[in-house]
Amino acid sequence: MKTSPYRSLEFILGAGLTGAMVLAVLLSDVLFADGADAMDLAMRLTLPFQTLSHPLGTDPLGRDVLARVVSGGRISLTVGVLSVASAAAVGTLAGLVAGYYRGVWDAILMRWADVQLALPFILIAITFAAILGTDMWKLIAFMAIAQWVQYARVVRAAVIVLCEREFIAAAHAVGVRNLAILWRHLLPNAAAPVLVLMTLNVANNILLESSLTFLGLGIDPLIPSWGGMLADGRTYLQTAWWVSVFPGLAIMLTVLGLNLLGDWLRDRSDPTTRSPT
Amino acid sequence: MGAFLLRRLALAVFVVFVVTLLVAWAIRLSGDPAMMLADGAGSITEQDLRNIRAALGLDRPFTAQYLGFIGGMLRGDMGHSFMGGTPVARMVAQALPLTLLLAFLSLGVSLLASIPLGVQAAVHRGGWADQTIRIISLIGLSFPNFWLAIMMVLVFSIALGWLPPSGAGSLSALVMPVLTMATILTATNVRLVRTAMLETLSAQYITVARSKGLAETVVLYRHALRNCAIPLITYIGLQFGGLIGGVVVVERVFNWPGMGSLAFDAVAARDYPVLQAVVTVLAAMIVAVNLLVDIVYGLVDPRVRTE
């Protein structure tokens, strides 16, 4: 199939932004040997783009903004990826089984999905985080619990359609075992919508994590994270604007990269939304 | 239709029930409000703490507390704040209009921007206008709402000095919270308008309207947009939960004294009745809007009724 240059631009931008962020986070220990908490008191409140040693400037404690932004990315990406991976694993398994075997469990699962999808999760997240306190693992668990039904629904719908197709009937006819049908035939064919949902949800969860952390309901403020840096930077917005600009920019660019990738993936797997060129 | 209505209503009631139960349960796992109240009161004995808990009704078993809360809500009595004993209903009555004002004003501003933009994107599908709108909308979708709020404060309050950075005293204090919310909402709504318009524009009656020689604006806004109304209202209605969630966060940045600020203050003070009431009221509203959308959609499109 012919792909338009605009499509590939979407992919290049998306993959480039996401890839750059992941690479920077992975290499953060090499790039910033001093660590994100090292204080250079002589260089306090350095403006960005002035010196090579602190390209994005320093905060009022003399800590390097770039090093902290990259280090904060580690938290955000970990939360985003792990929460989505666990939600997708549980949801996909439930959706496969429910769509293939149907019956009572399928009915219960779908009713529960209705309830969960109707719950105002942002409010519940704020309440729970505020009351029970949070750390990275609780955040990940909470997001996974909140989102697994999305995957279950998508996979179940795909499996029900696939089970009507000839190749599944043929597999049954030649005596392929149920487990093999689920794993080898249904799972790969239901993977595309799951991948799209995963990409977009990593973006969403990065936003959610940074919001909660910004509100003081997420990651420990002593650990550098994007939301935490923004909460911190707000108190000296008057004197050091750059401390509040760059972490937000990092969130935006990462989320934008993932959204571009997700859009691109969706268009590839579902040609009906594709715009002609 | 009757069975469909009943099923939707049952689901809505059940969801509100789950929310209240979750919140009531979580809240009691947290710190002890008696300790918070006693804090700073000098020497406190175990007996004093017990007396405070008894006065607040916290010595009763969980089910009794929960049923008391539900019963009170149904009678319109939300109890009294642990801090100062103000009736919670009065606090909610003060905060809720401010939150709704912010929410609906933002939605209105966003629609004013996203309807013409979305229509243009759909009409010039694939053209430069469509691409530009699409990219800008994607960037808007990627903005953390609280960061946009901070950037607005930086530009309009600190750099330019045009607008107050927080509070709710004047009309000018409303500008930045509304602009923040409206920007984020527009990013989503433009896409919704575009998709809905694309579907409508391919219909035959549009071709007929055009071939009759009607002006393009008449075709687009009279004929096409009207027929998009139902799916649009549905999509926007279903986003209501996200809208309220966003407002709650943005309120915090601008110190807007709505339901979000009320909730955060209640969290800090372990003021159970207030937090419980805020979350229940907002959740009930979101569920009610979703129910309404479902019912309207079921009335218009009979296929929805049979799942």
Side-chain angles (χ1 to χ4, degrees), chain B residues 6-287:
Chain B
L6 217 63
R7 208 166 53 222
R8 289 289 143 184
L9 194 65
L11 178 66
V13 171
F14 186 64
V15 167
V16 175
F17 166 74
V18 171
V19 171
T20 53
L21 201 60
L22 275 175
V23 173
W25 171 71
I27 231 168
R28 276 162 186 86
L29 293 177
S30 65
D32 184 353
M35 289 288 265
M36 298 283 287
L37 275 176
D39 207 28
S43 62
I44 292 289
T45 63
E46 191 52 41
Q47 185 57 41
D48 292 333
L49 286 177
R50 264 199 296 277
N51 289 343
I52 295 175
R53 282 188 208 114
L56 298 175
L58 294 172
D59 54 345
R60 293 178 300 158
F62 174 69
T63 35
Q65 289 185 38
Y66 178 69
L67 291 177
F69 162 67
I70 293 288
M73 285 299 273
L74 291 176
R75 290 195 308 274
D77 171 18
M78 300 181 184
H80 295 264
S81 162
F82 283 175
M83 307 288 141
T86 325
V88 177
R90 194 189 300 163
M91 299 166 85
V92 169
Q94 273 172 4
L96 188 59
L98 286 169
T99 294
L100 292 181
L101 174 72
L102 198 55
F104 285 112
L105 212 56
S106 313
L107 188 60
V109 171
S110 147
L111 286 179
L112 281 181
S114 41
I115 287 176
L117 285 174
V119 169
Q120 284 313 306
V123 171
H124 304 288
R125 182 186 191 186
W128 65 267
D130 186 21
Q131 312 278 31
T132 316
I133 290 170
R134 181 181 170 134
I135 289 171
I136 293 178
S137 134
L138 256 184
I139 293 175
L141 277 179
S142 311
F143 256 99
N145 50 12
F146 62 96
W147 185 56
L148 184 58
I150 296 174
M151 291 301 103
M152 289 222 181
V153 171
L154 190 59
V155 174
F156 295 112
S157 302
I158 294 175
L160 299 171
W162 290 352
L163 295 166
S166 65
S170 60
L171 211 59
S172 57
L174 202 57
V175 176
M176 282 196 292
V178 168
L179 268 186
T180 306
M181 285 306 297
T183 309
I184 307 267
L185 287 171
T186 303
T188 326
N189 290 342
V190 163
R191 297 183 138 210
L192 297 180
V193 174
R194 177 185 181 272
T195 314
M197 273 302 268
L198 276 180
E199 265 173 41
T200 316
L201 284 177
S202 58
Q204 282 186 338
Y205 59 82
I206 296 295
T207 321
V208 172
R210 279 191 178 136
S211 57
K212 278 200 308 190
L214 292 179
E216 187 65 12
T217 38
V218 176
V219 174
L220 290 180
Y221 287 91
R222 280 270 169 76
H223 294 248
L225 192 62
R226 270 198 193 171
N227 284 288
C228 296
I230 293 290
L232 268 184
I233 292 170
T234 311
Y235 289 139
I236 290 167
L238 292 179
Q239 281 182 57
F240 187 69
L243 172 60
I244 292 294
V247 169
V248 164
V249 174
V250 168
E251 273 182 9
R252 191 65 176 164
V253 181
F254 290 110
N255 278 324
W256 183 260
M259 296 291 266
S261 300
L262 199 56
F264 284 112
D265 293 343
V267 160
R270 303 260 179 270
D271 199 344
Y272 296 171
V274 175
L275 184 60
Q276 224 170 5
V278 168
V279 176
T280 308
V281 168
L282 290 180
M285 265 173 30
I286 294 167
V287 171

Side-chain angles (χ1 to χ4, degrees), chain A residues 10 130-131 234 244-245 263 274, chain B residues 26 30 125 147 191 253 267:
Chain A
E10 202 172 23
I131 292 168
R234 223 184 125 200
S244 297
V245 167
D263 250 31
R274 192 178 297 170
Chain B
S30 65
R125 182 186 191 186
W147 185 56
R191 297 183 138 210
V253 181
V267 160

Side-chain angles (χ1 to χ4, degrees), chain A residues 128-151:
Chain A
F128 265 70
I131 292 168
L132 302 178
T134 43
D135 53 38
M136 198 175 80
W137 299 109
K138 280 188 195 161
L139 268 184
I140 292 171
F142 182 83
M143 290 173 186
I145 292 169
Q147 290 165 353
W148 69 275
V149 287
Q150 296 178 14
Y151 300 91

